[in-house]
Amino acid sequence: MIAGKSQSRQGGSGHHDGPTSPASPLAQFPPLPPAESRSRAPEFYGFVAWAGTYLLFVLYFLWAILPDEWLIWLGVSWYPSREWALLVPAWSIVTVLLTYFTYFSMAIRSTPAFSELSAYTDSRAQYPDASGPNPYLAYARPNAIPEAYDIPIGLVNRVLYDADSRTGYQQ
């Protein structure tokens, strides 16, 4: 029933050009300009790029497989050595693999060590006020709604890895 109302208000097609509302919370992003002001140039550029790519691939493929006599008969007097038919794809693959390896290495290099404090916390961490009672214990009661705090790494390690607390579970 509600969907029918929102469709009828939107013209029945499910698409609307007005602002968002609770009945229709989704808006197209980015908003498209009116059809009369949009240029069709990207369509033409895309077609030229698509056609040019296929043409270059066909020429590359023919250069790689046709015998020399056929190329001379077609009027091609100079062309690169045939070894480049294998070297260009091989070097391209190596370049792509080295690019992935480089970005992976840069990510590993920029990761802080476990001994650095920045691996566990940052300047936006929110800790409770230490002057009052322990706020972490106050929210252990049933039906308590805790405030959003970051838990210090020392407290996490004490709860998870303290030898005294583990011995009680092993008995």
Side-chain angles (χ1 to χ4, degrees):
M1 184 78 163
I2 294 174
K5 285 182 182 178
S6 65
Q7 281 187 349
S8 65
R9 196 171 48 172
Q10 295 171 2
S13 66
H15 178 283
H16 83 84
D17 296 323
T20 59
S21 69
S24 178
L26 300 178
Q28 184 174 358
F29 184 81
L32 294 174
E36 63 273 0
S37 67
R38 281 187 289 181
S39 170
R40 294 194 56 189
E43 296 175 21
F44 296 118
Y45 293 145
F47 174 75
V48 169
W50 172 79
T53 302
Y54 275 98
L55 179 66
L56 285 175
F57 176 73
V58 167
L59 290 174
Y60 174 80
F61 188 72
L62 290 176
W63 163 71
I65 65 168
L66 286 179
D68 292 338
E69 297 82 26
W70 288 28
L71 290 174
I72 292 171
W73 180 79
L74 289 171
V76 178
S77 60
W78 181 88
Y79 48 88
S81 174
R82 296 283 168 89
E83 69 182 8
W84 288 102
L86 294 176
L87 288 176
V88 168
W91 284 34
S92 299
I93 290 172
V94 169
T95 302
V96 168
L97 291 176
L98 284 175
T99 302
Y100 279 116
F101 177 76
T102 301
Y103 279 114
F104 180 73
S105 300
M106 288 169 48
I108 294 294
R109 176 73 174 113
S110 65
T111 303
F114 286 130
S115 60
E116 293 183 30
L117 187 60
S118 63
Y120 305 106
T121 187
D122 61 3
S123 62
R124 293 185 175 91
Q126 297 180 4
Y127 296 112
D129 186 21
S131 61
N134 189 340
Y136 299 110
L137 297 177
Y139 297 115
R141 297 184 312 261
N143 300 328
I145 300 174
E147 292 184 35
Y149 290 126
D150 290 315
I151 301 175
I153 191 67
L155 179 60
V156 172
N157 287 338
R158 206 171 324 131
V159 170
L160 292 178
Y161 306 115
D162 190 21
D164 295 334
S165 63
R166 285 191 305 173
T167 56
Y169 294 118
Q170 292 176 354
Q171 294 176 355

